[in-house]
C-alpha cells in the first residue's frame, strides 16, 4: 500500500511509540492513555498502558502470554464419583504440607511426591454441602456450616474425623468448669492470638480459651459488633496483632486480641465499604485486599476513608471489566496472593460460577487483564501449596465433568489445577495418555496512538516488534469509527522447518545434523515425536523475534493495535506509529 505523500503545508508529527507495556486500563478512552509516566520494574525506560488484555502477564516491560497450568497427578486422586466439597492446607508435625480434599464420607490428604492418605469420617457423619478447614496447632477442624457442629482430626491417620460434644477438659477432669462448651457450629474460623475465633451469628464473634481451641465460654467470651444494624459479618482476618472483622457494609478491628483479652476493644475503621466475598480476602505484606460491592480495595484505603470520602477502588482502572462481573453471584468470589500476584476468581458476564481470574501485580499495582481457560473454570477456592519445590497457586474446582479413566464422563467430581506453571499450554488430564494440551488464547489491545495532536491526522506507517514460539497469530489495527480498522497480518502459523532468510534448506525435525539452534528459523518450538533431540541441549523457550512495519493511508483521530495469538507463546515488545497533522488550508499549492 503506498504511503501518504507529504505536501507543502503539511504538519509533520513526531513518531509516537511504546517501548514496553506495564498494565491494563480499560476505563479511560484509548486515545487518552499515555506513555512516559510509568517506569519498568527495574526503574529504566518508560512503558505504556494497554486498553485490554486476556491471558497476559506484564514482565519487565514486555506483554506476554501467561504461564500455563496443569493438573498434577499427586493432587488429583480418583474421586470415585464422589463430589469434592472443599479443600484446605494442613501441615503435619514433621513439617510436610498436605492439601486436604473433603468428600461426602472421607477426607483425602495429597501432597507433591507423597502417597495420598485417606481419613474417614465417623459413620454417622455424611457431608452434603461445601466445607472449610482450619488448622489449630496439630489438629484440623472441618467446618460444616452454622447448623452442624464442626469435626476434628488429631493428625493420626488411624483416627477418623469426629464430632466433639464436650471440651477435652470435661472428659479428663471431673472438676472442670461446667460452663465451658465445645466449639460452636460455624462456616469458618481463624486462629489468632493462640485462640480459635468463630462467627456464631450475624454480628457475633466467639473465641476459645487460650491454647485450648475446643473450650468456649459462650456467655462471656463473645462480642457483638454493631448490634441492631443490618450489617452481617462476612469475614475475619488476623492483621498486625489484631483481627479485622469485615461486614457487608463496614469494617471493624478487634484490638487487644492477645493474652488475657482484658483490653479487648472494637474499633470501626470504615463505614460504607464492606466485604462482598469472604474468600476474596488476602494479604501481602501489611496490605489486605478484598472484593467489595463495585470493586477491589486494600486496607490502607479503608483507614484513609475515615478522614475523607470513600476512596477510589484499587480496580478503578479496569472499571469496564468490573462492570461485567455477575454481582448477583459475586459473593462466591475467591482470592489469594502468591509471590507478586493477587489472583481473584469472579463470575464474569452471565456465568454463575467463578469462570475468570483477574490478576493484579502487587509490586506495580497494575492489572494484568483477565485469565480464561479453554475448558472452562468453576473455581470455588484458591489455595497456596508446594509443588516442585516452590509455592504455587491452586484453583480448586469443586464440580467439573471429569472424564478420567475410572470415572463416568457424565459424572461431576472435581479437579485441582496448578496455575502459572512453565510452558505455553494448559495441560489437562495428566493421568490420561496421551496428555491433553489446551492452547492459551492470548490477546492484547494497545492504547490509541493520537500522535500528540487533537483532531484528524494521516497515519503514514506503523511498526511492531514481537517474539513468537509455536504460535498462530494475527495483527490488526482499529480506530474509533466503523471501517477504520484493517488486518495487517492475517492468521499466520510459523513453520518449524522454514527460515526467514533465503538459501537455507528446510530444517529436518529429526535433527540428525544437530541444527536445532541454527539462526533465522521461523519457529524454534519442539514437540514430542520430533525425533533426535539436539546433541547440545534443548532450548525449550527459544523464540524467534520479529520487527515489521506497514505503510498506511489512514485519516483518523487515533489508531490502536490488536494482537492475537491462538497457540504457543507471544511476547509483545514495542509498537509505534507516525503520520502527518491536519493540512494548513491557507497554504496555496502551485
Amino acid at each position: 500500500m503506498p504511503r501518504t505523500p507529504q505536501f507543502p503545508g503539511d504538519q509533520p508529527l513526531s513518531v509516537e511509540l511504546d517501548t514496553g507495556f506495564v498494565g491494563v486500563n480499560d476505563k479511560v478512552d484509548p486515545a487518552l492513555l499515555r506513555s512516559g509516566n510509568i517506569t519498568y520494574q527495574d526503574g529504566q525506560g518508560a512503558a505504556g498502558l494497554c486498553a485490554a488484555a486476556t491471558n497476559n502477564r506484564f514482565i519487565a516491560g514486555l506483554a506476554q502470554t501467561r504461564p500455563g497450568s496443569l493438573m498434577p497427578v499427586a493432587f488429583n486422586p480418583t474421586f470415585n464419583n464422589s463430589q469434592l466439597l472443599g479443600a484446605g492446607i494442613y501441615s503435619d508435625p514433621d513439617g510436610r504440607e498436605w492439601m486436604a480434599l473433603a468428600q461426602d464420607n472421607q477426607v483425602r490428604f495429597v501432597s507433591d511426591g507423597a502417597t495420598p492418605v485417606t481419613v474417614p469420617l465417623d459413620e454417622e457423619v455424611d457431608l452434603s454441602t461445601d466445607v472449610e478447614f482450619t488448622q489449630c496447632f496439630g489438629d484440623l477442624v472441618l467446618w460444616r456450616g452454622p447448623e452442624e457442629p464442626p469435626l476434628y482430626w488429631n493428625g493420626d491417620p488411624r483416627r477418623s474425623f469426629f464430632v466433639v460434644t464436650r471440651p477435652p477438659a470435661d472428659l479428663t477432669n471431673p472438676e472442670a468448669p461446667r460452663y465451658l462448651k465445645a466449639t460452636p457450629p460455624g462456616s469458618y474460623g481463624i486462629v489468632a492470638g493462640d485462640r480459635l475465633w468463630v462467627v456464631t451469628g450475624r454480628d457475633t464473634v466467639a473465641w476459645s480459651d487460650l491454647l485450648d481451641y475446643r473450650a468456649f465460654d459462650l456467655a462471656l467470651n463473645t462480642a457483638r459488633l454493631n448490634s441492631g444494624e443490618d450489617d452481617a459479618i462476612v469475614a475475619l482476618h488476623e492483621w498486625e496483632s489484631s483481627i479485622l472483622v469485615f461486614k457487608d457494609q463496614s469494617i471493624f478491628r478487634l484490638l487487644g486480641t492477645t493474652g488475657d483479652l482484658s483490653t479487648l476493644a472494637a474499633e470501626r475503621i470504615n463505614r460504607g465499604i464492606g466485604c462482598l466475598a469472604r474468600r476474596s480476602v488476602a494479604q501481602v505484606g501489611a496490605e489486605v485486599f478484598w472484593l467489595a460491592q463495585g470493586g477491589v480495595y486494600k486496607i490502607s484505603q479503608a483507614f484513609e476513608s475515615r478522614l475523607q470520602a470513600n476512596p477510589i477502588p484499587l480496580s478503578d482502572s479496569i472499571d469496564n471489566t468490573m462492570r461485567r462481573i455477575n454481582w448477583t453471584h459475586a459473593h462466591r468470589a475467591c482470592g489469594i496472593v502468591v509471590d507478586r500476584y493477587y489472583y481473584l476468581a469472579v463470575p464474569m458476564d452471565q456465568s454463575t460460577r467463578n469462570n475468570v481470574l483477574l490478576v493484579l501485580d502487587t509490586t506495580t499495582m497494575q492489572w494484568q487483564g483477565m485469565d480464561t481457560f479453554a475448558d472452562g473454570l468453576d473455581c470455588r477456592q484458591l489455595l497456596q501449596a508446594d509443588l516442585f519445590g516452590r509455592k504455587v497457586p491452586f484453583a480448586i474446582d469443586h464440580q467439573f465433568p471429569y472424564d478420567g479413566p475410572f470415572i463416568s464422563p457424565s459424572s461431576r467430581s472435581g479437579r485441582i489445577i496448578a496455575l502459572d506453571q512453565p510452558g505455553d499450554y494448559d495441560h489437562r488430564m495428566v493421568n490420561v495418555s496421551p496428555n491433553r494440551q489446551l492452547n492459551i488464547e492470548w490477546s492484547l489491545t494497545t492504547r490509541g496512538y493520537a500522535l500528540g495532536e487533537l483532531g484528524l491526522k494521516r497515519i503514514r506507517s506503523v511498526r511492531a516488534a514481537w517474539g513468537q514460539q509455536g504460535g498462530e497469530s494475527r495483527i490488526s489495527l482499529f480506530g474509533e469509527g466503523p471501517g477504520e480498522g484493517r488486518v495487517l497480518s492475517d492468521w499466520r502459523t510459523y513453520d518449524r522447518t522454514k527460515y526467514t532468510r533465503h538459501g537455507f534448506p528446510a530444517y529436518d525435525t529429526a535433527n540428525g545434523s544437530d541444527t536445532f539452534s541454527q539462526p533465522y528459523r521461523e519457529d524454534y518450538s519442539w514437540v514430542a515425536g520430533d525425533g533426535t533431540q539436539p546433541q547440545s541441549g534443548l532450548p525449550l523457550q527459544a523464540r524467534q523475534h520479529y520487527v515489521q512495519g506497514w505503510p498506511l493511508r489512514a485519516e483518523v483521530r487515533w489508531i490502536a493495535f490488536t494482537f492475537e495469538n491462538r497457540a504457543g507463546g507471544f511476547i509483545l515488545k514495542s509498537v509505534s506509529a507516525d503520520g502527518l497533522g491536519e493540512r494548513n488550508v491557507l497554504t496555496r499549492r502551485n
Side-chain angles (χ1 to χ4, degrees):
M1 181 180 296
R3 291 173 60 91
T4 298
Q6 183 173 353
F7 297 101
D10 287 341
Q11 178 186 0
L13 301 176
S14 61
V15 175
E16 185 167 356
L17 76 159
D18 279 330
T19 58
F21 307 91
V22 73
V24 171
N25 186 316
D26 64 17
K27 180 180 180 180
V28 177
D29 185 282
L32 300 180
L33 295 177
R34 288 290 180 265
S35 176
N37 60 341
I38 300 174
T39 59
Y40 291 134
Q41 295 163 12
D42 61 3
Q44 302 296 320
L49 292 168
C50 299
T54 301
N55 292 324
N56 177 79
R57 294 291 183 273
F58 296 98
I59 300 176
L62 301 177
Q64 53 193 280
T65 306
R66 66 163 171 84
S69 63
L70 57 87
M71 290 173 54
V73 174
F75 288 85
N76 286 274
T78 301
F79 290 103
N80 295 323
N81 289 330
S82 180
Q83 183 180 340
L84 177 62
L85 297 173
I89 301 299
Y90 172 75
S91 297
D92 65 23
D94 296 327
R96 175 177 283 277
E97 183 182 83
W98 300 83
M99 183 180 293
L101 306 176
Q103 299 172 253
D104 53 7
N105 59 357
Q106 64 183 13
V107 176
R108 300 287 293 275
F109 289 85
V110 296
S111 180
D112 185 29
T115 302
V117 176
T118 301
V119 177
L121 308 180
D122 275 352
E123 293 182 358
E124 67 274 12
V125 175
D126 189 21
L127 302 180
S128 58
T129 60
D130 286 356
V131 301
E132 290 270 359
F133 289 96
T134 301
Q135 183 166 357
C136 297
F137 310 111
D139 291 3
L140 192 63
V141 183
L142 189 156
W143 303 97
R144 298 189 291 165
E147 304 298 328
E148 299 288 344
L151 305 180
Y152 285 87
W153 181 62
N154 64 0
D156 186 349
R158 297 167 297 181
R159 295 286 304 275
S160 63
F161 277 79
F162 58 92
V163 178
V164 176
T165 57
R166 289 184 296 169
D170 287 354
L171 304 176
T172 60
N173 181 10
E175 298 182 0
R178 297 291 97 182
Y179 58 81
L180 290 177
K181 305 298 181 182
T183 307
S187 298
Y188 63 98
I190 68 168
V191 175
D194 293 328
R195 301 174 188 268
L196 178 60
W197 302 72
V198 185
V199 176
T200 57
R202 285 178 54 84
D203 53 14
T204 307
V205 178
W207 56 89
S208 70
D209 274 5
L210 187 66
L211 299 173
D212 191 353
Y213 52 87
R214 298 189 211 171
F216 283 74
D217 182 350
L218 297 178
L220 297 178
N221 291 351
T222 61
R224 302 195 70 178
L225 302 175
N226 201 20
S227 176
E229 295 189 14
D230 183 20
D231 195 7
I233 296 176
V234 176
L236 303 177
H237 184 81
E238 183 181 17
W239 182 70
E240 295 186 348
S241 300
S242 63
I243 295 177
L244 296 175
V245 182
F246 292 92
K247 308 189 79 176
D248 55 19
Q249 300 174 40
S250 61
I251 304 172
F252 283 78
R253 179 169 61 158
L254 290 178
L255 304 169
T257 56
T258 60
D260 61 3
L261 305 190
S262 60
T263 60
L264 183 67
E267 171 194 23
R268 187 201 299 268
I269 63 174
N270 177 270
R271 184 195 298 270
I273 300 177
C275 179
L276 182 64
R278 172 172 58 85
R279 288 175 172 168
S280 70
V281 180
Q283 183 169 349
V284 53
E287 286 290 4
V288 178
F289 302 94
W290 75 94
L291 179 66
Q293 187 68 45
V296 176
Y297 289 85
K298 60 181 180 178
I299 195 61
S300 58
Q301 293 178 311
F303 278 95
E304 292 168 359
S305 68
R306 294 188 299 180
L307 304 176
Q308 61 185 32
N310 285 343
I312 297 174
L314 192 63
S315 57
D316 183 63
S317 61
I318 56 168
D319 184 64
N320 285 334
T321 297
M322 301 303 290
R323 291 176 182 273
R324 290 175 53 191
I325 292 178
N326 186 347
W327 290 101
T328 303
H329 298 274
H331 61 280
R332 298 190 179 99
C334 53
I336 195 172
V337 173
V338 180
D339 194 12
R340 67 191 302 155
Y341 297 113
Y342 172 56
Y343 303 85
L344 179 65
V346 295
M348 191 65 68
D349 297 325
Q350 303 303 314
S351 176
T352 61
R353 301 173 179 176
N354 297 331
N355 62 332
V356 165
L357 292 176
L358 304 180
V359 184
L360 172 70
D361 187 331
T362 62
T363 61
T364 63
M365 287 300 172
Q366 296 292 331
W367 291 92
Q368 310 293 289
M370 66 173 67
D371 289 359
T372 61
F373 298 85
D375 56 346
L377 186 68
D378 179 13
C379 182
R380 300 289 187 89
Q381 293 175 267
L382 287 168
L383 297 177
Q384 175 181 264
D386 295 324
L387 180 66
F388 307 141
R390 68 184 184 96
K391 295 294 184 182
V392 168
F394 281 84
I396 312 301
D397 195 333
H398 284 199
Q399 294 186 1
F400 192 79
Y402 178 58
D403 56 353
F406 308 109
I407 298 178
S408 167
S410 62
S411 67
R412 301 188 65 84
S413 182
R415 61 178 182 172
I416 315 300
I417 304 172
L419 304 173
D420 279 8
Q421 297 301 295
D424 298 324
Y425 297 92
D426 288 328
H427 297 260
R428 294 291 184 266
M429 314 309 181
V430 295
N431 57 337
V432 181
S433 181
N435 296 342
R436 283 181 60 195
Q437 288 187 338
L438 303 178
N439 292 332
I440 300 173
E441 297 190 359
W442 174 89
S443 66
L444 182 142
T445 299
T446 68
R447 65 186 178 92
Y449 296 94
L451 305 185
E453 285 283 321
L454 297 176
L456 294 175
K457 66 274 304 173
R458 287 163 289 160
I459 306 297
R460 298 199 300 177
S461 67
V462 293
R463 182 175 294 269
W466 71 93
Q468 186 103 22
Q469 185 191 47
E472 184 180 358
S473 60
R474 179 170 67 179
I475 303 174
S476 307
L477 283 178
F478 75 94
E480 62 180 340
E484 294 181 4
R486 65 192 65 186
V487 175
L488 297 178
S489 176
D490 210 349
W491 289 110
R492 174 187 176 186
T493 301
Y494 294 82
D495 196 323
R496 295 186 299 135
T497 66
K498 294 182 180 180
Y499 291 84
T500 60
R501 301 292 178 90
H502 295 291
F504 285 83
Y507 170 71
D508 180 8
T509 56
N511 198 47
S513 57
D514 192 24
T515 57
F516 182 89
S517 297
Q518 182 170 302
Y520 310 122
R521 192 146 56 94
E522 285 188 7
D523 177 29
Y524 288 92
S525 61
W526 183 89
V527 297
D530 271 359
T532 306
Q533 295 186 11
Q535 300 171 13
S536 56
L538 185 65
L540 292 177
Q541 296 301 315
R543 301 183 188 275
Q544 183 59 277
H545 295 273
Y546 297 88
V547 178
Q548 186 170 347
W550 297 269
L552 290 180
R553 276 187 173 179
E555 190 171 7
V556 294
R557 194 169 68 94
W558 55 266
I559 200 163
F561 291 81
T562 294
F563 296 85
E564 301 168 273
N565 193 65
R566 295 195 294 206
F570 194 97
I571 294 179
L572 180 60
K573 302 165 71 175
S574 65
V575 296
S576 64
D578 78 290
L580 302 172
E582 292 185 280
R583 184 167 297 155
N584 186 346
V585 297
L586 298 180
T587 300
R588 179 185 299 274
R589 295 193 181 95
N590 297 320

